Amino acid sequence: MDILNEWLRAGVSSGLLEIKQILLFIFIAGPLVIIIRKIREIIAFINEVRNSKLNELQHLLNSHKLPKEESICIKDEITRIIGYRMTGIADVARQQVIIRLLVKHRFLISADFFKKFRSFLVVEDSFLVFKKGISYWVENGMYGLFSLQFLFFSITSIVLSINKEGVIPVWGHFILYFVAVMMFLFFIAFARMIPRPGECKLLDKILQTQYNNSSE
């Protein structure tokens, strides 16, 4: 905050910024800070709702003396929920295979490595198989299309702000740059959902270890 104050003072003293521009900046930045705080509160609430079932199951285990069979079922359900969050897959059979591979290759891949491939991983004869068919190219093609659209919107906002410098008011430029940043973040988010060739090769290498181990 002190750095921002010094920057504003320097801008005013050098003539780069006018008082009305600073007031307009404060007028826009104030509500923006409030919006960001509200978004954080909403995210916290969503996480609380998301964890409600997990917390309830854990509470049942800790607060009640349950029969052994019921305790096993509750623990299995907790494991399934955690496995889903790690892998993005609700199917227990695939979860178990993926988690075994995660443990074995934990120094090579991150815990969410398989999430990108969750729609294309199936279990055949107790082995996890990567089905790279038409659906793979269609789904990732859609992600690529969306990411390029967001990149286009981001660049367009910046170009519009530059080319219409004398036409668009100051607050309009703030909005355009804000939109550009948001669109660029969406571009990154969708681009990250697309498996890279190196990740596909690494997945094939990891899956191949299943067969190597079974033949030993």
Side-chain angles (χ1 to χ4, degrees), residues 159-174 176:
V159 171
L160 185 61
S161 176
I162 294 173
N163 291 339
K164 301 294 183 179
E165 183 177 357
V167 179
I168 300 176
V170 176
W171 60 267
H173 289 286
F174 278 115
L176 285 173

PDB file of all heavy atoms in Angstrom, residues 159-174 176:
ATOM      1  N   VAL A 159      -5.850  -4.227 -27.877  1.00  0.00           N
ATOM      2  CA  VAL A 159      -5.750  -3.474 -29.136  1.00  0.00           C
ATOM      3  C   VAL A 159      -6.786  -2.354 -29.177  1.00  0.00           C
ATOM      4  O   VAL A 159      -6.497  -1.227 -29.609  1.00  0.00           O
ATOM      5  CB  VAL A 159      -5.930  -4.425 -30.337  1.00  0.00           C
ATOM      6  CG1 VAL A 159      -6.054  -3.633 -31.634  1.00  0.00           C
ATOM      7  CG2 VAL A 159      -4.760  -5.399 -30.422  1.00  0.00           C
ATOM      8  N   LEU A 160      -7.988  -2.657 -28.711  1.00  0.00           N
ATOM      9  CA  LEU A 160      -9.044  -1.643 -28.691  1.00  0.00           C
ATOM     10  C   LEU A 160      -8.674  -0.484 -27.779  1.00  0.00           C
ATOM     11  O   LEU A 160      -8.905   0.687 -28.114  1.00  0.00           O
ATOM     12  CB  LEU A 160     -10.354  -2.281 -28.231  1.00  0.00           C
ATOM     13  CG  LEU A 160     -11.609  -1.395 -28.271  1.00  0.00           C
ATOM     14  CD1 LEU A 160     -11.896  -0.945 -29.699  1.00  0.00           C
ATOM     15  CD2 LEU A 160     -12.802  -2.143 -27.694  1.00  0.00           C
ATOM     16  N   SER A 161      -8.080  -0.800 -26.636  1.00  0.00           N
ATOM     17  CA  SER A 161      -7.671   0.253 -25.705  1.00  0.00           C
ATOM     18  C   SER A 161      -6.576   1.127 -26.304  1.00  0.00           C
ATOM     19  O   SER A 161      -6.578   2.349 -26.136  1.00  0.00           O
ATOM     20  CB  SER A 161      -7.184  -0.373 -24.396  1.00  0.00           C
ATOM     21  OG  SER A 161      -6.689   0.606 -23.513  1.00  0.00           O
ATOM     22  N   ILE A 162      -5.645   0.503 -27.027  1.00  0.00           N
ATOM     23  CA  ILE A 162      -4.531   1.258 -27.617  1.00  0.00           C
ATOM     24  C   ILE A 162      -5.009   2.123 -28.786  1.00  0.00           C
ATOM     25  O   ILE A 162      -4.656   3.301 -28.901  1.00  0.00           O
ATOM     26  CB  ILE A 162      -3.421   0.295 -28.076  1.00  0.00           C
ATOM     27  CG1 ILE A 162      -2.801  -0.404 -26.859  1.00  0.00           C
ATOM     28  CG2 ILE A 162      -2.347   1.037 -28.862  1.00  0.00           C
ATOM     29  CD1 ILE A 162      -1.809  -1.487 -27.216  1.00  0.00           C
ATOM     30  N   ASN A 163      -5.821   1.547 -29.652  1.00  0.00           N
ATOM     31  CA  ASN A 163      -6.247   2.262 -30.861  1.00  0.00           C
ATOM     32  C   ASN A 163      -7.280   3.349 -30.577  1.00  0.00           C
ATOM     33  O   ASN A 163      -7.403   4.303 -31.347  1.00  0.00           O
ATOM     34  CB  ASN A 163      -6.815   1.277 -31.879  1.00  0.00           C
ATOM     35  CG  ASN A 163      -5.743   0.369 -32.467  1.00  0.00           C
ATOM     36  OD1 ASN A 163      -4.558   0.693 -32.427  1.00  0.00           O
ATOM     37  ND2 ASN A 163      -6.146  -0.766 -33.002  1.00  0.00           N
ATOM     38  N   LYS A 164      -8.041   3.185 -29.497  1.00  0.00           N
ATOM     39  CA  LYS A 164      -9.086   4.158 -29.164  1.00  0.00           C
ATOM     40  C   LYS A 164      -8.695   4.978 -27.933  1.00  0.00           C
ATOM     41  O   LYS A 164      -9.539   5.323 -27.106  1.00  0.00           O
ATOM     42  CB  LYS A 164     -10.408   3.430 -28.903  1.00  0.00           C
ATOM     43  CG  LYS A 164     -10.919   2.601 -30.074  1.00  0.00           C
ATOM     44  CD  LYS A 164     -11.301   3.465 -31.263  1.00  0.00           C
ATOM     45  CE  LYS A 164     -11.883   2.630 -32.394  1.00  0.00           C
ATOM     46  NZ  LYS A 164     -12.286   3.463 -33.552  1.00  0.00           N
ATOM     47  N   GLU A 165      -7.418   5.287 -27.836  1.00  0.00           N
ATOM     48  CA  GLU A 165      -6.915   5.965 -26.637  1.00  0.00           C
ATOM     49  C   GLU A 165      -7.616   7.294 -26.389  1.00  0.00           C
ATOM     50  O   GLU A 165      -7.940   7.640 -25.252  1.00  0.00           O
ATOM     51  CB  GLU A 165      -5.410   6.186 -26.777  1.00  0.00           C
ATOM     52  CG  GLU A 165      -4.771   6.812 -25.549  1.00  0.00           C
ATOM     53  CD  GLU A 165      -3.271   6.944 -25.697  1.00  0.00           C
ATOM     54  OE1 GLU A 165      -2.730   6.500 -26.730  1.00  0.00           O
ATOM     55  OE2 GLU A 165      -2.643   7.491 -24.771  1.00  0.00           O
ATOM     56  N   GLY A 166      -7.858   8.067 -27.438  1.00  0.00           N
ATOM     57  CA  GLY A 166      -8.469   9.374 -27.253  1.00  0.00           C
ATOM     58  C   GLY A 166      -9.980   9.360 -27.252  1.00  0.00           C
ATOM     59  O   GLY A 166     -10.612  10.384 -26.986  1.00  0.00           O
ATOM     60  N   VAL A 167     -10.566   8.221 -27.549  1.00  0.00           N
ATOM     61  CA  VAL A 167     -12.027   8.122 -27.645  1.00  0.00           C
ATOM     62  C   VAL A 167     -12.628   7.525 -26.379  1.00  0.00           C
ATOM     63  O   VAL A 167     -13.636   8.011 -25.859  1.00  0.00           O
ATOM     64  CB  VAL A 167     -12.425   7.278 -28.878  1.00  0.00           C
ATOM     65  CG1 VAL A 167     -13.940   7.144 -28.967  1.00  0.00           C
ATOM     66  CG2 VAL A 167     -11.853   7.895 -30.151  1.00  0.00           C
ATOM     67  N   ILE A 168     -12.002   6.477 -25.891  1.00  0.00           N
ATOM     68  CA  ILE A 168     -12.522   5.779 -24.713  1.00  0.00           C
ATOM     69  C   ILE A 168     -12.082   6.509 -23.452  1.00  0.00           C
ATOM     70  O   ILE A 168     -10.905   6.874 -23.316  1.00  0.00           O
ATOM     71  CB  ILE A 168     -12.014   4.322 -24.688  1.00  0.00           C
ATOM     72  CG1 ILE A 168     -12.475   3.577 -25.945  1.00  0.00           C
ATOM     73  CG2 ILE A 168     -12.502   3.592 -23.446  1.00  0.00           C
ATOM     74  CD1 ILE A 168     -11.934   2.169 -26.057  1.00  0.00           C
ATOM     75  N   PRO A 169     -12.975   6.745 -22.511  1.00  0.00           N
ATOM     76  CA  PRO A 169     -12.589   7.402 -21.250  1.00  0.00           C
ATOM     77  C   PRO A 169     -11.660   6.515 -20.427  1.00  0.00           C
ATOM     78  O   PRO A 169     -11.498   5.324 -20.709  1.00  0.00           O
ATOM     79  CB  PRO A 169     -13.930   7.626 -20.547  1.00  0.00           C
ATOM     80  CG  PRO A 169     -14.854   6.627 -21.149  1.00  0.00           C
ATOM     81  CD  PRO A 169     -14.415   6.445 -22.570  1.00  0.00           C
ATOM     82  N   VAL A 170     -11.082   7.108 -19.388  1.00  0.00           N
ATOM     83  CA  VAL A 170     -10.103   6.383 -18.571  1.00  0.00           C
ATOM     84  C   VAL A 170     -10.720   5.137 -17.947  1.00  0.00           C
ATOM     85  O   VAL A 170     -10.114   4.059 -17.943  1.00  0.00           O
ATOM     86  CB  VAL A 170      -9.539   7.310 -17.470  1.00  0.00           C
ATOM     87  CG1 VAL A 170      -8.589   6.535 -16.560  1.00  0.00           C
ATOM     88  CG2 VAL A 170      -8.825   8.499 -18.099  1.00  0.00           C
ATOM     89  N   TRP A 171     -11.935   5.281 -17.419  1.00  0.00           N
ATOM     90  CA  TRP A 171     -12.559   4.124 -16.782  1.00  0.00           C
ATOM     91  C   TRP A 171     -12.812   3.007 -17.796  1.00  0.00           C
ATOM     92  O   TRP A 171     -12.778   1.819 -17.462  1.00  0.00           O
ATOM     93  CB  TRP A 171     -13.870   4.523 -16.101  1.00  0.00           C
ATOM     94  CG  TRP A 171     -14.909   5.109 -17.017  1.00  0.00           C
ATOM     95  CD1 TRP A 171     -15.117   6.420 -17.294  1.00  0.00           C
ATOM     96  CD2 TRP A 171     -15.877   4.382 -17.788  1.00  0.00           C
ATOM     97  NE1 TRP A 171     -16.146   6.582 -18.179  1.00  0.00           N
ATOM     98  CE2 TRP A 171     -16.644   5.346 -18.499  1.00  0.00           C
ATOM     99  CE3 TRP A 171     -16.179   3.039 -17.942  1.00  0.00           C
ATOM    100  CZ2 TRP A 171     -17.677   4.983 -19.356  1.00  0.00           C
ATOM    101  CZ3 TRP A 171     -17.221   2.668 -18.788  1.00  0.00           C
ATOM    102  CH2 TRP A 171     -17.950   3.641 -19.482  1.00  0.00           C
ATOM    103  N   GLY A 172     -13.024   3.390 -19.054  1.00  0.00           N
ATOM    104  CA  GLY A 172     -13.200   2.385 -20.100  1.00  0.00           C
ATOM    105  C   GLY A 172     -11.931   1.590 -20.340  1.00  0.00           C
ATOM    106  O   GLY A 172     -11.979   0.377 -20.588  1.00  0.00           O
ATOM    107  N   HIS A 173     -10.781   2.271 -20.254  1.00  0.00           N
ATOM    108  CA  HIS A 173      -9.502   1.570 -20.414  1.00  0.00           C
ATOM    109  C   HIS A 173      -9.265   0.594 -19.259  1.00  0.00           C
ATOM    110  O   HIS A 173      -8.751  -0.511 -19.465  1.00  0.00           O
ATOM    111  CB  HIS A 173      -8.358   2.581 -20.491  1.00  0.00           C
ATOM    112  CG  HIS A 173      -8.342   3.370 -21.763  1.00  0.00           C
ATOM    113  ND1 HIS A 173      -7.943   2.833 -22.965  1.00  0.00           N
ATOM    114  CD2 HIS A 173      -8.692   4.660 -22.024  1.00  0.00           C
ATOM    115  CE1 HIS A 173      -8.025   3.756 -23.911  1.00  0.00           C
ATOM    116  NE2 HIS A 173      -8.484   4.879 -23.365  1.00  0.00           N
ATOM    117  N   PHE A 174      -9.631   1.010 -18.045  1.00  0.00           N
ATOM    118  CA  PHE A 174      -9.504   0.107 -16.899  1.00  0.00           C
ATOM    119  C   PHE A 174     -10.328  -1.161 -17.124  1.00  0.00           C
ATOM    120  O   PHE A 174      -9.869  -2.280 -16.865  1.00  0.00           O
ATOM    121  CB  PHE A 174      -9.961   0.807 -15.614  1.00  0.00           C
ATOM    122  CG  PHE A 174      -8.918   1.684 -14.996  1.00  0.00           C
ATOM    123  CD1 PHE A 174      -9.097   3.053 -14.916  1.00  0.00           C
ATOM    124  CD2 PHE A 174      -7.748   1.143 -14.486  1.00  0.00           C
ATOM    125  CE1 PHE A 174      -8.135   3.871 -14.349  1.00  0.00           C
ATOM    126  CE2 PHE A 174      -6.777   1.944 -13.914  1.00  0.00           C
ATOM    127  CZ  PHE A 174      -6.968   3.318 -13.847  1.00  0.00           C
ATOM    128  N   LEU A 176     -11.325  -2.414 -20.001  1.00  0.00           N
ATOM    129  CA  LEU A 176     -10.759  -3.205 -21.094  1.00  0.00           C
ATOM    130  C   LEU A 176      -9.554  -4.018 -20.636  1.00  0.00           C
ATOM    131  O   LEU A 176      -9.414  -5.197 -20.990  1.00  0.00           O
ATOM    132  CB  LEU A 176     -10.363  -2.287 -22.253  1.00  0.00           C
ATOM    133  CG  LEU A 176     -11.514  -1.737 -23.103  1.00  0.00           C
ATOM    134  CD1 LEU A 176     -11.002  -0.719 -24.108  1.00  0.00           C
ATOM    135  CD2 LEU A 176     -12.241  -2.874 -23.821  1.00  0.00           C
TER     136      LEU A 176
END
